Amino acid sequence: MQKLMLAFNFTPERLQALKMVALMAKVQLRAVERMDMCQSLGALVGLPGMERVAEEYTGLEAQEEMLFLCGINGPTLDRLLQGIKRSPLKQVALKAMLTPTNAEWTPVKLMAELAAEHEYMTKKSKGQRVMHKMQ
């Protein structure tokens, strides 16, 4: 499987910075258009047997930046994440790897799942910091 990164909802400036990171990590980058947000993630990365649907996405939800990684191993993932931290991007909050479960999800569903997880982890982390300060 090819090393592929799908980028969702990046501004042109941030997408350009991400292109440089992808080039250095030797990962193919593909920006996903809003109209393709109703496609399955498996179809977007070209998994065999995952067909595109005819409809186009017209919704307003799922506005956050998100990266979806496919075929990327440990060392490449490390280079990619370090490259993001060192670049003008600094961070991308929502990131996921291809799994058998999420291959059938749409980007909208994955973003909702990741956003909820990110919010939970952020609150949990802040709560731990407050408890630590109180001790």
Side-chain angles (χ1 to χ4, degrees):
M1 179 170 283
Q2 68 178 349
K3 295 176 182 179
L4 175 64
M5 177 170 48
L6 300 182
F8 298 87
N9 300 319
F10 280 75
T11 63
E13 297 81 22
R14 285 182 60 83
L15 186 60
Q16 188 60 38
L18 187 58
K19 285 178 183 178
M20 295 305 295
V21 171
L23 184 65
M24 291 181 351
K26 298 179 181 167
V27 173
Q28 181 183 353
L29 174 65
R30 187 178 311 148
V32 178
E33 301 286 331
R34 295 270 318 149
M35 66 183 181
D36 286 332
M37 298 287 277
C38 61
Q39 303 297 328
S40 73
L41 290 159
L44 290 173
V45 299
L47 285 181
M50 303 289 294
E51 301 297 323
R52 294 178 66 91
V53 295
E55 68 185 275
E56 289 187 0
Y57 180 77
T58 58
L60 299 176
E61 63 275 327
Q63 297 285 328
E64 301 91 347
E65 287 181 342
M66 180 176 76
L67 292 177
F68 187 69
L69 311 173
C70 174
I72 297 175
N73 61 15
T76 303
L77 180 60
D78 291 343
R79 281 195 309 274
L80 192 58
L81 295 176
Q82 285 300 317
I84 288 170
K85 286 180 186 177
R86 292 181 180 140
S87 77
L89 294 166
K90 300 298 179 211
Q91 72 170 357
V92 177
L94 305 181
K95 298 177 281 299
M97 299 282 288
L98 175 67
T99 68
T101 300
N102 67 23
E104 296 182 11
W105 294 358
T106 65
V108 174
K109 177 171 174 50
L110 179 61
M111 256 183 233
E113 294 287 330
L114 290 176
E117 184 178 300
H118 181 71
E119 182 179 337
Y120 171 80
M121 295 304 286
T122 301
K123 284 181 181 177
K124 183 177 176 181
S125 176
K126 285 181 183 177
Q128 288 175 345
R129 278 186 259 148
V130 168
M131 291 299 292
H132 182 70
K133 286 180 182 179
M134 293 173 66
Q135 294 175 349

